Amino acid sequence: MFTWPSDHPRLIGSRCKNCGNHMFPVQSGCPRCTGTDTEAVELESRGTLWTWTVQGFPPKSPPYAGNDDPKTFEAFGVGYVELPGQVKVESRLTEADPAKLKIGMEMELVIVPLTTDDNGDEIVTFAFAPVA
Ligand SMILES: [Zn+2]
């Protein structure tokens, strides 16, 4: 879903060769023109915050793979980040303080630790962080 490991991680989406529509995650068919000729592309790593909310309780697991213990769960932001000329990406945000999130602010892709699996290996996920 993203290039990793990498110093400059990028989300991998797809682009419709017929109409130029971008999709994330990768899709084999284009919802705009119903074309099936798509290619994988690396998406922009910066975009603007389109809308957001704060997830204050553990999401349903599965598919949620992070900490779902209500006692130790930490709230996190979720939102849509609009990548210029491409697509709106639903993503976890690194910031959960409503005072620090503003629609239209510039956001940058980061890779953050999510949890560790049963083997003790770290699971990472992508998130967007406000550009300082
Ligand atoms: Zn298309």
Side-chain angles (χ1 to χ4, degrees):
M1 201 176 265
F2 47 85
T3 58
W4 189 255
S6 167
D7 289 340
H8 303 284
R10 301 277 288 268
L11 294 176
I12 298 167
S14 49
R15 192 182 76 87
C16 174
K17 288 185 182 175
N18 183 44
C19 75
N21 187 31
H22 285 77
M23 296 151 274
F24 180 82
V26 168
Q27 290 178 39
S28 55
C30 174
R32 182 189 285 171
C33 73
T34 71
T36 54
D37 195 9
T38 63
E39 60 182 353
V41 289
E42 292 186 4
L43 299 176
E44 295 291 330
S45 57
R46 282 194 181 196
T48 53
L49 191 57
W50 187 68
T51 188
W52 60 271
T53 186
V54 173
Q55 180 77 37
F57 54 90
K60 215 169 159 196
S61 177
Y64 180 64
N67 176 14
D68 62 355
D69 182 343
K71 293 194 199 76
T72 56
F73 175 79
E74 286 180 41
F76 60 87
V78 288
Y80 280 90
V81 174
E82 183 167 25
L83 305 180
Q86 296 187 329
V87 65
K88 293 185 187 77
V89 172
E90 185 180 9
S91 173
R92 175 185 278 253
L93 307 175
T94 60
E95 184 58 67
D97 181 352
K100 293 180 182 164
L101 291 169
K102 210 170 88 197
I103 286 171
M105 73 192 299
E106 195 171 11
M107 305 293 284
E108 185 169 39
L109 181 73
V110 293
I111 304 300
V112 295
L114 178 63
T115 186
T116 47
D117 68 15
D118 294 341
N119 298 321
D121 292 325
E122 190 171 73
I123 309 286
V124 296
T125 189
F126 68 90
F128 276 86
V131 175

